[in-house]
Amino acid sequence: MPRGSAQATGDTDALEALLGRIRGCRRCIDDPIGRPLPHQPRPVIRVSADTRIIVCGQAPGTRVHDDASGDRLREWMGVDRDTFYDVSQIGTVPMGFCFPGNDTKGGDLPPRRECAKAWHAQVFPLLPAARLILLVG
């Protein structure tokens, strides 16, 4: 449907409302699957109704931007920094939206299960321009 139509506007409004709910999510503290998240949740998701490529990784690290894994991912994808952070081109919908904490050896714990279970089925239908989902991890 053309941009600016009632349907596209409704989809954009629905996506923005959903993103607001996701960014305020506390399921991993208030209703966890297993142990609660060991720190305050800070959900990370970057999409717009125009996002064409969705990167679906495990979970954000302690430094969501400007870390070596982000540099490596951009290199693997063959895109520059501006393209990668242009949400109309590339978005991120991780399996777990918050940094999951560290294991006993200092590595990242696996992504929390609450996020994908609660949000993925609601997010993906609101991304009509998506042409590729890149699974990383």
Side-chain angles (χ1 to χ4, degrees):
M1 189 165 284
R3 251 176 108 53
S5 68
Q7 181 64 39
T9 300
D11 288 349
T12 300
D13 292 346
L15 178 60
E16 289 305 314
L18 178 61
L19 292 174
R21 289 193 306 277
I22 290 170
R23 290 182 180 123
C25 182
R26 294 182 44 85
R27 288 175 191 256
C28 53
I29 299 277
D30 299 338
D31 189 22
I33 297 174
R35 290 189 168 163
L37 189 69
H39 53 271
Q40 288 301 306
R42 289 183 44 200
V44 175
I45 180 173
R46 293 186 63 254
V47 291
S48 77
D50 299 325
T51 300
R52 297 183 53 78
I53 298 172
I54 301 167
V55 177
C56 210
Q58 291 186 14
T62 55
R63 296 180 299 163
V64 175
H65 302 291
D66 299 322
D67 67 336
S69 62
D71 293 341
R72 213 170 15 258
L73 180 57
R74 288 191 299 274
E75 184 179 321
W76 291 343
M77 292 176 70
V79 298
D80 62 27
R81 183 179 187 81
D82 289 338
T83 301
F84 187 80
Y85 289 110
D86 177 353
V87 75
S88 71
Q89 294 188 48
I90 300 173
T92 55
V93 180
M95 296 307 294
F97 295 140
C98 295
F99 174 64
N102 296 111
D103 64 20
T104 57
K105 296 180 182 178
D108 292 357
L109 289 168
R112 302 287 306 197
R113 293 179 293 166
E114 295 92 345
C115 301
K117 182 178 178 183
W119 302 114
H120 279 197
Q122 295 178 63
V123 170
F124 286 104
L126 296 175
L127 304 175
R131 298 293 175 256
L132 174 69
I133 297 174
L134 179 60
L135 303 175
V136 179

